[in-house]
Amino acid sequence: RSFAWCRGMAKSKFEYVREFEVLDTCLRNCWVVVRVDGRNFHRFSDQHHFVKPNDIRALQLMNRCAENVMNELEDICLAYGQSDEYSFVFHKKSNWYKRRASKFMTHVVSQFASSYVFFWKEFFPDQAILYPPGFDGRVVLYPNEQNLKDYLSWRQADCHINNLYNTVFWSLVQKGGLTPSEAQKRLRGSVAAEKNEMLFSEFNINYNNEPVLYRKGSVLIWQKVNEVSKKKIKLPNEDEEKEVEVSRWRSETVQLHCDIIGNEFWEEHPDILAEDG
Amino acid sequence: RSFAWCRGMAKSKFEYVREFEVLDTCLRNCWVVVRVDGRNFHRFSDQHHFVKPNDIRALQLMNRCAENVMNELEDICLAYGQSDEYSFVFHKKSNWYKRRASKFMTHVVSQFASSYVFFWKEFFPDQAILYPPGFDGRVVLYPNEQNLKDYLSWRQADCHINNLYNTVFWSLVQKGGLTPSEAQKRLRGSVAAEKNEMLFSEFNINYNNEPVLYRKGSVLIWQKVNEVSKKKIKLPNEDEEKEVEVSRWRSETVQLHCDIIGNEFWEEHPDILAEDG
Amino acid sequence: RSFAWCRGMAKSKFEYVREFEVLDTCLRNCWVVVRVDGRNFHRFSDQHHFVKPNDIRALQLMNRCAENVMNELEDICLAYGQSDEYSFVFHKKSNWYKRRASKFMTHVVSQFASSYVFFWKEFFPDQAILYPPGFDGRVVLYPNEQNLKDYLSWRQADCHINNLYNTVFWSLVQKGGLTPSEAQKRLRGSVAAEKNEMLFSEFNINYNNEPVLYRKGSVLIWQKVNEVSKKKIKLPNEDEEKEVEVSRWRSETVQLHCDIIGNEFWEEHPDILAEDG
Amino acid sequence: RSFAWCRGMAKSKFEYVREFEVLDTCLRNCWVVVRVDGRNFHRFSDQHHFVKPNDIRALQLMNRCAENVMNELEDICLAYGQSDEYSFVFHKKSNWYKRRASKFMTHVVSQFASSYVFFWKEFFPDQAILYPPGFDGRVVLYPNEQNLKDYLSWRQADCHINNLYNTVFWSLVQKGGLTPSEAQKRLRGSVAAEKNEMLFSEFNINYNNEPVLYRKGSVLIWQKVNEVSKKKIKLPNEDEEKEVEVSRWRSETVQLHCDIIGNEFWEEHPDILAEDG
């Protein structure tokens, strides 16, 4: 038993190893973006029979996970997702965990990953999840609003470009009877206008009528909701209980599928990036 | 449709935002440790009725998740876990994802988190998981073997100290009928030898006979196994198929619950930290 | 001689050590401030008999060094100095040496240090420099203009506070006959208004009439000057040379000693922080 | 005068800007190398008429500066210089300025730069220094002895390669009458053995007889010297003063020009990298 005591003493001897941890504080007053990406999701989506080019269930599951991240963690003012990636914007004034980059990253990515498995069966009731998926994450800082908006525009422009390509590609394969490599060859070097034209003339698809969730991705923001509940109260000098309505403001996440490249979005939602947001 | 084309063009206009990402390369030739910790696991373990002071199911689930991490990711040569934390050691020669700290951290923590939900029902068949748990992670570098061994010793000494404390604390509460705050008061300032004595004289518990998994935590390492399988072959100039045995070396993880503070462990397993490991 | 050849070959064997160098890129679109501080300047100023509380020669030498730094290096848009420190502001759009922090720091501090010895005799003609002085430097990033202006205000407020204190302290010692520790005791806990009052009632000094260089420190900015020079030219179909005036715009540093805490300075000089500055 | 008081108050309002400074702690237990390089020294050496290929005065001035750096700063256990560069090795156990990279860098580079101007006239008595030279600096960490030795070997191998090249190049130009571009062309693609042969057959120079300072660069290390001084003492119960010898061990830098690529150097000087060095 004296042995155990020695080990206790030993702890302080080893504790010097803590000093090897290095602080990775994010520069203050900058917007902190954490982007999560699926790891090997090409393989994952094949093995789970995701519909091509867009699997509505998979996209809604991603949105559900992102909502959970926003609700569980602090100071996220907006999230944007498309395909197998999701970006979370922490407010520039956030001082969560003293702004340590590793805390931002690992909390987001672990909450997202556990949510993915947890909520899976809600969106894929007929399809078991075969193995635990992996995600990677990164932190990027943006010193001003314009840089941040340009980041989000970059991701939405990427959504547009990939979705247009994939829509034509899978039309050529699924409806046009081309092999994947023939479809790829057909599309090589084509500009957006030509892809739109192919869809229209060959498959009678007007790309702009495709579901907006596919074309624009998903934006999650906070919205104040007025919750009214009924409550019975009994005043001291009255005999009977009285039913009263109690109203309370609460924030909850809301999903949008709108353009965030233009100014309209930001003009309609000045609160998102506000200093006291 | 020309609109879509404009947006395509716009992507390059926004792409400058990529340059705000900063490289977080881990110094070469150092051991890279990623430690995962449960977030708010006090609350999580209460809500899921974990047995105190140790819930064997929860500890085995942690080990299962760690095994999955070791098998899915590259270059992990050892993992050590106790309570709601797990440390993963990437070999100092690893060049996985160009040694980017964010990649090490987020891959480990997301794989661990998704595994936790995925494997939950194997260990808690009668208890549904109520919400997706969160974890945090960090990266610490150790320049030489001694520093790395001292890190692992530090975690195992921590396991010992906490487990001894918790074993007495919960004995006082569960068997001695003390309230938590009475038990806490009773233990304040006591050294290890006194705690051992309390367990022995009051509850007839010899701490050293407690399960080694609780006292030492879990070590995961790789071990080579010889897999022998039978295969039927048919040689060209023979009529009948022949059954032959095919033997193949494969690495798989193995769980140990031994002391890693002394030298014996490292002397018995020289391969773990070997240069060509 | 074959030996030399072997060594030549050996170089590539050692070159792997370059990969241990880690990039320390400054976040884009942030103002980069490098502050230089004299090392052990208390001792240096004693040994070189600097006049107390302000040695005009030493301050002018500091300004001369800062001018040299601004002229030799790229992208510095403003410098502010007081006492034995100088801050240099690199424009947020600067891409000098790919924004490596170590380049910003070491170029500034080495140029400042070599200039200090080089220009010494211009300002201290009767006093040899006894040993090479040392300086330290640091890099701090500011994401927006307000943060940068607040940084400069912080340094000028520091100048004010220290100079007021030193002016009273040395009056008490040099004119009031107090020992340094008596003067220190006298000043302990006094607010600015009380220090002003002491100066006025005891030494007939109106602090606001003290030289502005001492009270405000020095600001270096760029100013466009029109240089007119005379040049003789001879036109092909004329016999005689003609003298013409050639005018050319050139940027040169100018020294100011004004308030930079209020808005006036920035309103008068909108170019300093301009995007295309 | 209340104005001044307001400003004093204002300081605390601005002090938040300090929090933008980020810690750049060097990983513990690693060797810290600071390398200083001359900035635009090609131009500097031309304007100061340095002798080609080696100017003994310039090299000795570099050594003098490095000696000053070693004596003024803490924890440097070795320095190696060649051409216009110098590397300083801080002991891996150093905790100087809490191991902040910016402190290591800027102290070394500023002390080196001020020393260069300060000691100039000792080495160039007939040649005034025309302008203050600049230097840059960087910090690189090496986790173990072998990496550190390989770093130093890399620099010495670089010295050898460049010096051999320059020796032949300037022989061709100065003695062989070739233009620089003819000399360059002549040398293109030649291996070390061929360069040695050119020197020997065309200019009767045996490269191995060239001064070792040029071929090997300079190593500065510490050596203990026994200083004996005479002192007069008078014992209480004796009439006359007595002269006694007092001996004292002191560390001073010593210059070597030996091979540091092989093991002999490290075997002869085990103290340099010793744990308690």
Side-chain angles (χ1 to χ4, degrees), chain A residues 16, chain B residues 31 92 142-151 266 270 273-275:
Chain A
Y16 80 93
Chain B
W31 300 94
K92 67 176 180 175
Y142 291 106
N144 66 31
E145 269 189 38
Q146 195 54 53
N147 297 147
L148 174 65
K149 290 174 181 173
D150 287 349
Y151 169 80
W266 301 106
L273 306 182
E275 287 284 310

mmCIF file with all atom_site columns, all heavy atoms in Angstrom, chain A residues 16, chain B residues 31 92 142-151 266 270 273-275:
data_model
loop_
_atom_site.group_PDB
_atom_site.id
_atom_site.type_symbol
_atom_site.label_atom_id
_atom_site.label_alt_id
_atom_site.label_comp_id
_atom_site.label_asym_id
_atom_site.label_entity_id
_atom_site.label_seq_id
_atom_site.pdbx_PDB_ins_code
_atom_site.Cartn_x
_atom_site.Cartn_y
_atom_site.Cartn_z
_atom_site.occupancy
_atom_site.B_iso_or_equiv
_atom_site.pdbx_formal_charge
_atom_site.auth_seq_id
_atom_site.auth_comp_id
_atom_site.auth_asym_id
_atom_site.auth_atom_id
_atom_site.pdbx_PDB_model_num
ATOM 1   N N   . TYR A 1 16  ? 5.433  18.261 -15.086 1.00 0.00 ? 16  TYR A N   1
ATOM 2   C CA  . TYR A 1 16  ? 6.138  19.217 -15.953 1.00 0.00 ? 16  TYR A CA  1
ATOM 3   C C   . TYR A 1 16  ? 5.712  19.073 -17.409 1.00 0.00 ? 16  TYR A C   1
ATOM 4   O O   . TYR A 1 16  ? 5.823  20.013 -18.195 1.00 0.00 ? 16  TYR A O   1
ATOM 5   C CB  . TYR A 1 16  ? 7.658  19.044 -15.819 1.00 0.00 ? 16  TYR A CB  1
ATOM 6   C CG  . TYR A 1 16  ? 8.213  17.894 -16.630 1.00 0.00 ? 16  TYR A CG  1
ATOM 7   C CD1 . TYR A 1 16  ? 8.699  18.111 -17.931 1.00 0.00 ? 16  TYR A CD1 1
ATOM 8   C CD2 . TYR A 1 16  ? 8.235  16.596 -16.139 1.00 0.00 ? 16  TYR A CD2 1
ATOM 9   C CE1 . TYR A 1 16  ? 9.198  17.066 -18.690 1.00 0.00 ? 16  TYR A CE1 1
ATOM 10  C CE2 . TYR A 1 16  ? 8.709  15.545 -16.886 1.00 0.00 ? 16  TYR A CE2 1
ATOM 11  C CZ  . TYR A 1 16  ? 9.199  15.788 -18.169 1.00 0.00 ? 16  TYR A CZ  1
ATOM 12  O OH  . TYR A 1 16  ? 9.675  14.740 -18.929 1.00 0.00 ? 16  TYR A OH  1
ATOM 13  N N   . TRP B 1 31  ? 7.071  13.544 -30.899 1.00 0.00 ? 31  TRP B N   1
ATOM 14  C CA  . TRP B 1 31  ? 5.888  12.722 -30.679 1.00 0.00 ? 31  TRP B CA  1
ATOM 15  C C   . TRP B 1 31  ? 4.674  13.627 -30.581 1.00 0.00 ? 31  TRP B C   1
ATOM 16  O O   . TRP B 1 31  ? 4.706  14.630 -29.875 1.00 0.00 ? 31  TRP B O   1
ATOM 17  C CB  . TRP B 1 31  ? 6.056  11.911 -29.390 1.00 0.00 ? 31  TRP B CB  1
ATOM 18  C CG  . TRP B 1 31  ? 7.251  11.017 -29.445 1.00 0.00 ? 31  TRP B CG  1
ATOM 19  C CD1 . TRP B 1 31  ? 8.503  11.300 -28.978 1.00 0.00 ? 31  TRP B CD1 1
ATOM 20  C CD2 . TRP B 1 31  ? 7.334  9.721  -30.048 1.00 0.00 ? 31  TRP B CD2 1
ATOM 21  N NE1 . TRP B 1 31  ? 9.352  10.252 -29.248 1.00 0.00 ? 31  TRP B NE1 1
ATOM 22  C CE2 . TRP B 1 31  ? 8.663  9.266  -29.897 1.00 0.00 ? 31  TRP B CE2 1
ATOM 23  C CE3 . TRP B 1 31  ? 6.414  8.890  -30.692 1.00 0.00 ? 31  TRP B CE3 1
ATOM 24  C CZ2 . TRP B 1 31  ? 9.084  8.021  -30.384 1.00 0.00 ? 31  TRP B CZ2 1
ATOM 25  C CZ3 . TRP B 1 31  ? 6.836  7.650  -31.172 1.00 0.00 ? 31  TRP B CZ3 1
ATOM 26  C CH2 . TRP B 1 31  ? 8.155  7.240  -31.019 1.00 0.00 ? 31  TRP B CH2 1
ATOM 27  N N   . LYS B 1 92  ? 6.622  9.796  -33.972 1.00 0.00 ? 92  LYS B N   1
ATOM 28  C CA  . LYS B 1 92  ? 7.352  11.035 -34.280 1.00 0.00 ? 92  LYS B CA  1
ATOM 29  C C   . LYS B 1 92  ? 7.727  11.150 -35.752 1.00 0.00 ? 92  LYS B C   1
ATOM 30  O O   . LYS B 1 92  ? 7.956  12.244 -36.254 1.00 0.00 ? 92  LYS B O   1
ATOM 31  C CB  . LYS B 1 92  ? 8.598  11.167 -33.397 1.00 0.00 ? 92  LYS B CB  1
ATOM 32  C CG  . LYS B 1 92  ? 9.691  10.155 -33.653 1.00 0.00 ? 92  LYS B CG  1
ATOM 33  C CD  . LYS B 1 92  ? 10.910 10.461 -32.784 1.00 0.00 ? 92  LYS B CD  1
ATOM 34  C CE  . LYS B 1 92  ? 12.003 9.435  -33.040 1.00 0.00 ? 92  LYS B CE  1
ATOM 35  N NZ  . LYS B 1 92  ? 13.231 9.755  -32.305 1.00 0.00 ? 92  LYS B NZ  1
ATOM 36  N N   . TYR B 1 142 ? 5.952  16.200 -27.890 1.00 0.00 ? 142 TYR B N   1
ATOM 37  C CA  . TYR B 1 142 ? 7.038  15.828 -26.982 1.00 0.00 ? 142 TYR B CA  1
ATOM 38  C C   . TYR B 1 142 ? 8.279  15.494 -27.793 1.00 0.00 ? 142 TYR B C   1
ATOM 39  O O   . TYR B 1 142 ? 8.246  14.610 -28.640 1.00 0.00 ? 142 TYR B O   1
ATOM 40  C CB  . TYR B 1 142 ? 6.609  14.677 -26.061 1.00 0.00 ? 142 TYR B CB  1
ATOM 41  C CG  . TYR B 1 142 ? 5.561  15.167 -25.099 1.00 0.00 ? 142 TYR B CG  1
ATOM 42  C CD1 . TYR B 1 142 ? 4.221  14.827 -25.234 1.00 0.00 ? 142 TYR B CD1 1
ATOM 43  C CD2 . TYR B 1 142 ? 5.905  16.064 -24.089 1.00 0.00 ? 142 TYR B CD2 1
ATOM 44  C CE1 . TYR B 1 142 ? 3.259  15.344 -24.376 1.00 0.00 ? 142 TYR B CE1 1
ATOM 45  C CE2 . TYR B 1 142 ? 4.948  16.582 -23.231 1.00 0.00 ? 142 TYR B CE2 1
ATOM 46  C CZ  . TYR B 1 142 ? 3.636  16.218 -23.382 1.00 0.00 ? 142 TYR B CZ  1
ATOM 47  O OH  . TYR B 1 142 ? 2.690  16.754 -22.545 1.00 0.00 ? 142 TYR B OH  1
ATOM 48  N N   . PRO B 1 143 ? 9.376  16.230 -27.538 1.00 0.00 ? 143 PRO B N   1
ATOM 49  C CA  . PRO B 1 143 ? 10.565 16.086 -28.379 1.00 0.00 ? 143 PRO B CA  1
ATOM 50  C C   . PRO B 1 143 ? 11.316 14.784 -28.171 1.00 0.00 ? 143 PRO B C   1
ATOM 51  O O   . PRO B 1 143 ? 12.012 14.344 -29.068 1.00 0.00 ? 143 PRO B O   1
ATOM 52  C CB  . PRO B 1 143 ? 11.459 17.264 -27.979 1.00 0.00 ? 143 PRO B CB  1
ATOM 53  C CG  . PRO B 1 143 ? 10.634 18.143 -27.102 1.00 0.00 ? 143 PRO B CG  1
ATOM 54  C CD  . PRO B 1 143 ? 9.530  17.301 -26.552 1.00 0.00 ? 143 PRO B CD  1
ATOM 55  N N   . ASN B 1 144 ? 11.216 14.153 -26.986 1.00 0.00 ? 144 ASN B N   1
ATOM 56  C CA  . ASN B 1 144 ? 11.967 12.902 -26.856 1.00 0.00 ? 144 ASN B CA  1
ATOM 57  C C   . ASN B 1 144 ? 11.166 11.845 -26.090 1.00 0.00 ? 144 ASN B C   1
ATOM 58  O O   . ASN B 1 144 ? 10.112 12.129 -25.529 1.00 0.00 ? 144 ASN B O   1
ATOM 59  C CB  . ASN B 1 144 ? 13.352 13.135 -26.249 1.00 0.00 ? 144 ASN B CB  1
ATOM 60  C CG  . ASN B 1 144 ? 13.283 13.610 -24.816 1.00 0.00 ? 144 ASN B CG  1
ATOM 61  O OD1 . ASN B 1 144 ? 12.360 13.264 -24.071 1.00 0.00 ? 144 ASN B OD1 1
ATOM 62  N ND2 . ASN B 1 144 ? 14.248 14.397 -24.418 1.00 0.00 ? 144 ASN B ND2 1
ATOM 63  N N   . GLU B 1 145 ? 11.688 10.643 -26.121 1.00 0.00 ? 145 GLU B N   1
ATOM 64  C CA  . GLU B 1 145 ? 10.990 9.504  -25.530 1.00 0.00 ? 145 GLU B CA  1
ATOM 65  C C   . GLU B 1 145 ? 10.697 9.697  -24.060 1.00 0.00 ? 145 GLU B C   1
ATOM 66  O O   . GLU B 1 145 ? 9.649  9.321  -23.566 1.00 0.00 ? 145 GLU B O   1
ATOM 67  C CB  . GLU B 1 145 ? 11.843 8.246  -25.697 1.00 0.00 ? 145 GLU B CB  1
ATOM 68  C CG  . GLU B 1 145 ? 11.537 7.502  -26.963 1.00 0.00 ? 145 GLU B CG  1
ATOM 69  C CD  . GLU B 1 145 ? 12.234 6.157  -26.984 1.00 0.00 ? 145 GLU B CD  1
ATOM 70  O OE1 . GLU B 1 145 ? 12.337 5.485  -25.931 1.00 0.00 ? 145 GLU B OE1 1
ATOM 71  O OE2 . GLU B 1 145 ? 12.673 5.783  -28.077 1.00 0.00 ? 145 GLU B OE2 1
ATOM 72  N N   . GLN B 1 146 ? 11.675 10.266 -23.328 1.00 0.00 ? 146 GLN B N   1
ATOM 73  C CA  . GLN B 1 146 ? 11.475 10.415 -21.894 1.00 0.00 ? 146 GLN B CA  1
ATOM 74  C C   . GLN B 1 146 ? 10.293 11.335 -21.617 1.00 0.00 ? 146 GLN B C   1
ATOM 75  O O   . GLN B 1 146 ? 9.464  11.064 -20.759 1.00 0.00 ? 146 GLN B O   1
ATOM 76  C CB  . GLN B 1 146 ? 12.756 10.923 -21.221 1.00 0.00 ? 146 GLN B CB  1
ATOM 77  C CG  . GLN B 1 146 ? 12.720 10.757 -19.722 1.00 0.00 ? 146 GLN B CG  1
ATOM 78  C CD  . GLN B 1 146 ? 12.413 9.315  -19.325 1.00 0.00 ? 146 GLN B CD  1
ATOM 79  O OE1 . GLN B 1 146 ? 13.073 8.385  -19.773 1.00 0.00 ? 146 GLN B OE1 1
ATOM 80  N NE2 . GLN B 1 146 ? 11.371 9.109  -18.525 1.00 0.00 ? 146 GLN B NE2 1
ATOM 81  N N   . ASN B 1 147 ? 10.201 12.434 -22.360 1.00 0.00 ? 147 ASN B N   1
ATOM 82  C CA  . ASN B 1 147 ? 9.079  13.357 -22.175 1.00 0.00 ? 147 ASN B CA  1
ATOM 83  C C   . ASN B 1 147 ? 7.750  12.661 -22.466 1.00 0.00 ? 147 ASN B C   1
ATOM 84  O O   . ASN B 1 147 ? 6.760  12.847 -21.765 1.00 0.00 ? 147 ASN B O   1
ATOM 85  C CB  . ASN B 1 147 ? 9.222  14.579 -23.093 1.00 0.00 ? 147 ASN B CB  1
ATOM 86  C CG  . ASN B 1 147 ? 10.448 15.421 -22.809 1.00 0.00 ? 147 ASN B CG  1
ATOM 87  O OD1 . ASN B 1 147 ? 11.028 16.011 -23.710 1.00 0.00 ? 147 ASN B OD1 1
ATOM 88  N ND2 . ASN B 1 147 ? 10.875 15.472 -21.553 1.00 0.00 ? 147 ASN B ND2 1
ATOM 89  N N   . LEU B 1 148 ? 7.741  11.846 -23.531 1.00 0.00 ? 148 LEU B N   1
ATOM 90  C CA  . LEU B 1 148 ? 6.517  11.129 -23.892 1.00 0.00 ? 148 LEU B CA  1
ATOM 91  C C   . LEU B 1 148 ? 6.131  10.136 -22.804 1.00 0.00 ? 148 LEU B C   1
ATOM 92  O O   . LEU B 1 148 ? 4.965  10.055 -22.390 1.00 0.00 ? 148 LEU B O   1
ATOM 93  C CB  . LEU B 1 148 ? 6.724  10.396 -25.218 1.00 0.00 ? 148 LEU B CB  1
ATOM 94  C CG  . LEU B 1 148 ? 5.567  9.491  -25.627 1.00 0.00 ? 148 LEU B CG  1
ATOM 95  C CD1 . LEU B 1 148 ? 4.311  10.304 -25.906 1.00 0.00 ? 148 LEU B CD1 1
ATOM 96  C CD2 . LEU B 1 148 ? 5.936  8.645  -26.838 1.00 0.00 ? 148 LEU B CD2 1
ATOM 97  N N   . LYS B 1 149 ? 7.113  9.368  -22.320 1.00 0.00 ? 149 LYS B N   1
ATOM 98  C CA  . LYS B 1 149 ? 6.833  8.394  -21.258 1.00 0.00 ? 149 LYS B CA  1
ATOM 99  C C   . LYS B 1 149 ? 6.347  9.112  -20.001 1.00 0.00 ? 149 LYS B C   1
ATOM 100 O O   . LYS B 1 149 ? 5.454  8.618  -19.312 1.00 0.00 ? 149 LYS B O   1
ATOM 101 C CB  . LYS B 1 149 ? 8.088  7.575  -20.952 1.00 0.00 ? 149 LYS B CB  1
ATOM 102 C CG  . LYS B 1 149 ? 8.470  6.611  -22.067 1.00 0.00 ? 149 LYS B CG  1
ATOM 103 C CD  . LYS B 1 149 ? 9.812  5.942  -21.765 1.00 0.00 ? 149 LYS B CD  1
ATOM 104 C CE  . LYS B 1 149 ? 10.215 4.997  -22.888 1.00 0.00 ? 149 LYS B CE  1
ATOM 105 N NZ  . LYS B 1 149 ? 11.591 4.472  -22.677 1.00 0.00 ? 149 LYS B NZ  1
ATOM 106 N N   . ASP B 1 150 ? 6.936  10.251 -19.711 1.00 0.00 ? 150 ASP B N   1
ATOM 107 C CA  . ASP B 1 150 ? 6.509  11.009 -18.534 1.00 0.00 ? 150 ASP B CA  1
ATOM 108 C C   . ASP B 1 150 ? 5.083  11.527 -18.709 1.00 0.00 ? 150 ASP B C   1
ATOM 109 O O   . ASP B 1 150 ? 4.318  11.593 -17.758 1.00 0.00 ? 150 ASP B O   1
ATOM 110 C CB  . ASP B 1 150 ? 7.474  12.173 -18.251 1.00 0.00 ? 150 ASP B CB  1
ATOM 111 C CG  . ASP B 1 150 ? 8.800  11.685 -17.676 1.00 0.00 ? 150 ASP B CG  1
ATOM 112 O OD1 . ASP B 1 150 ? 8.894  10.497 -17.310 1.00 0.00 ? 150 ASP B OD1 1
ATOM 113 O OD2 . ASP B 1 150 ? 9.747  12.490 -17.608 1.00 0.00 ? 150 ASP B OD2 1
ATOM 114 N N   . TYR B 1 151 ? 4.724  11.882 -19.941 1.00 0.00 ? 151 TYR B N   1
ATOM 115 C CA  . TYR B 1 151 ? 3.340  12.295 -20.190 1.00 0.00 ? 151 TYR B CA  1
ATOM 116 C C   . TYR B 1 151 ? 2.387  11.145 -19.852 1.00 0.00 ? 151 TYR B C   1
ATOM 117 O O   . TYR B 1 151 ? 1.385  11.332 -19.153 1.00 0.00 ? 151 TYR B O   1
ATOM 118 C CB  . TYR B 1 151 ? 3.144  12.719 -21.653 1.00 0.00 ? 151 TYR B CB  1
ATOM 119 C CG  . TYR B 1 151 ? 1.677  12.877 -21.979 1.00 0.00 ? 151 TYR B CG  1
ATOM 120 C CD1 . TYR B 1 151 ? 0.993  14.032 -21.620 1.00 0.00 ? 151 TYR B CD1 1
ATOM 121 C CD2 . TYR B 1 151 ? 0.953  11.848 -22.592 1.00 0.00 ? 151 TYR B CD2 1
ATOM 122 C CE1 . TYR B 1 151 ? -0.377 14.155 -21.862 1.00 0.00 ? 151 TYR B CE1 1
ATOM 123 C CE2 . TYR B 1 151 ? -0.404 11.973 -22.838 1.00 0.00 ? 151 TYR B CE2 1
ATOM 124 C CZ  . TYR B 1 151 ? -1.062 13.129 -22.466 1.00 0.00 ? 151 TYR B CZ  1
ATOM 125 O OH  . TYR B 1 151 ? -2.400 13.248 -22.690 1.00 0.00 ? 151 TYR B OH  1
ATOM 126 N N   . TRP B 1 266 ? 8.093  -0.721 -21.153 1.00 0.00 ? 266 TRP B N   1
ATOM 127 C CA  . TRP B 1 266 ? 8.828  -0.283 -22.347 1.00 0.00 ? 266 TRP B CA  1
ATOM 128 C C   . TRP B 1 266 ? 9.887  -1.298 -22.750 1.00 0.00 ? 266 TRP B C   1
ATOM 129 O O   . TRP B 1 266 ? 10.188 -1.450 -23.940 1.00 0.00 ? 266 TRP B O   1
ATOM 130 C CB  . TRP B 1 266 ? 9.434  1.104  -22.117 1.00 0.00 ? 266 TRP B CB  1
ATOM 131 C CG  . TRP B 1 266 ? 8.374  2.110  -21.802 1.00 0.00 ? 266 TRP B CG  1
ATOM 132 C CD1 . TRP B 1 266 ? 8.104  2.671  -20.593 1.00 0.00 ? 266 TRP B CD1 1
ATOM 133 C CD2 . TRP B 1 266 ? 7.404  2.649  -22.717 1.00 0.00 ? 266 TRP B CD2 1
ATOM 134 N NE1 . TRP B 1 266 ? 7.040  3.535  -20.695 1.00 0.00 ? 266 TRP B NE1 1
ATOM 135 C CE2 . TRP B 1 266 ? 6.584  3.546  -21.988 1.00 0.00 ? 266 TRP B CE2 1
ATOM 136 C CE3 . TRP B 1 266 ? 7.143  2.470  -24.085 1.00 0.00 ? 266 TRP B CE3 1
ATOM 137 C CZ2 . TRP B 1 266 ? 5.534  4.247  -22.570 1.00 0.00 ? 266 TRP B CZ2 1
ATOM 138 C CZ3 . TRP B 1 266 ? 6.104  3.179  -24.668 1.00 0.00 ? 266 TRP B CZ3 1
ATOM 139 C CH2 . TRP B 1 266 ? 5.310  4.049  -23.920 1.00 0.00 ? 266 TRP B CH2 1
ATOM 140 N N   . PRO B 1 270 ? 9.690  -3.075 -26.981 1.00 0.00 ? 270 PRO B N   1
ATOM 141 C CA  . PRO B 1 270 ? 10.621 -2.118 -27.600 1.00 0.00 ? 270 PRO B CA  1
ATOM 142 C C   . PRO B 1 270 ? 10.125 -1.605 -28.960 1.00 0.00 ? 270 PRO B C   1
ATOM 143 O O   . PRO B 1 270 ? 10.573 -0.561 -29.431 1.00 0.00 ? 270 PRO B O   1
ATOM 144 C CB  . PRO B 1 270 ? 11.915 -2.919 -27.752 1.00 0.00 ? 270 PRO B CB  1
ATOM 145 C CG  . PRO B 1 270 ? 11.485 -4.343 -27.750 1.00 0.00 ? 270 PRO B CG  1
ATOM 146 C CD  . PRO B 1 270 ? 10.274 -4.411 -26.873 1.00 0.00 ? 270 PRO B CD  1
ATOM 147 N N   . LEU B 1 273 ? 7.946  2.344  -29.731 1.00 0.00 ? 273 LEU B N   1
ATOM 148 C CA  . LEU B 1 273 ? 8.530  3.650  -30.053 1.00 0.00 ? 273 LEU B CA  1
ATOM 149 C C   . LEU B 1 273 ? 9.706  3.544  -31.026 1.00 0.00 ? 273 LEU B C   1
ATOM 150 O O   . LEU B 1 273 ? 10.394 4.529  -31.272 1.00 0.00 ? 273 LEU B O   1
ATOM 151 C CB  . LEU B 1 273 ? 8.992  4.341  -28.764 1.00 0.00 ? 273 LEU B CB  1
ATOM 152 C CG  . LEU B 1 273 ? 7.943  4.486  -27.653 1.00 0.00 ? 273 LEU B CG  1
ATOM 153 C CD1 . LEU B 1 273 ? 8.545  5.223  -26.463 1.00 0.00 ? 273 LEU B CD1 1
ATOM 154 C CD2 . LEU B 1 273 ? 6.703  5.230  -28.145 1.00 0.00 ? 273 LEU B CD2 1
ATOM 155 N N   . ALA B 1 274 ? 9.919  2.351  -31.584 1.00 0.00 ? 274 ALA B N   1
ATOM 156 C CA  . ALA B 1 274 ? 11.069 2.155  -32.464 1.00 0.00 ? 274 ALA B CA  1
ATOM 157 C C   . ALA B 1 274 ? 11.006 3.117  -33.658 1.00 0.00 ? 274 ALA B C   1
ATOM 158 O O   . ALA B 1 274 ? 9.926  3.468  -34.134 1.00 0.00 ? 274 ALA B O   1
ATOM 159 C CB  . ALA B 1 274 ? 11.121 0.710  -32.944 1.00 0.00 ? 274 ALA B CB  1
ATOM 160 N N   . GLU B 1 275 ? 12.177 3.497  -34.115 1.00 0.00 ? 275 GLU B N   1
ATOM 161 C CA  . GLU B 1 275 ? 12.300 4.453  -35.238 1.00 0.00 ? 275 GLU B CA  1
ATOM 162 C C   . GLU B 1 275 ? 11.489 4.022  -36.455 1.00 0.00 ? 275 GLU B C   1
ATOM 163 O O   . GLU B 1 275 ? 10.889 4.835  -37.138 1.00 0.00 ? 275 GLU B O   1
ATOM 164 C CB  . GLU B 1 275 ? 13.774 4.562  -35.678 1.00 0.00 ? 275 GLU B CB  1
ATOM 165 C CG  . GLU B 1 275 ? 14.673 5.326  -34.738 1.00 0.00 ? 275 GLU B CG  1
ATOM 166 C CD  . GLU B 1 275 ? 14.471 6.828  -34.826 1.00 0.00 ? 275 GLU B CD  1
ATOM 167 O OE1 . GLU B 1 275 ? 14.486 7.386  -35.934 1.00 0.00 ? 275 GLU B OE1 1
ATOM 168 O OE2 . GLU B 1 275 ? 14.299 7.459  -33.760 1.00 0.00 ? 275 GLU B OE2 1
#
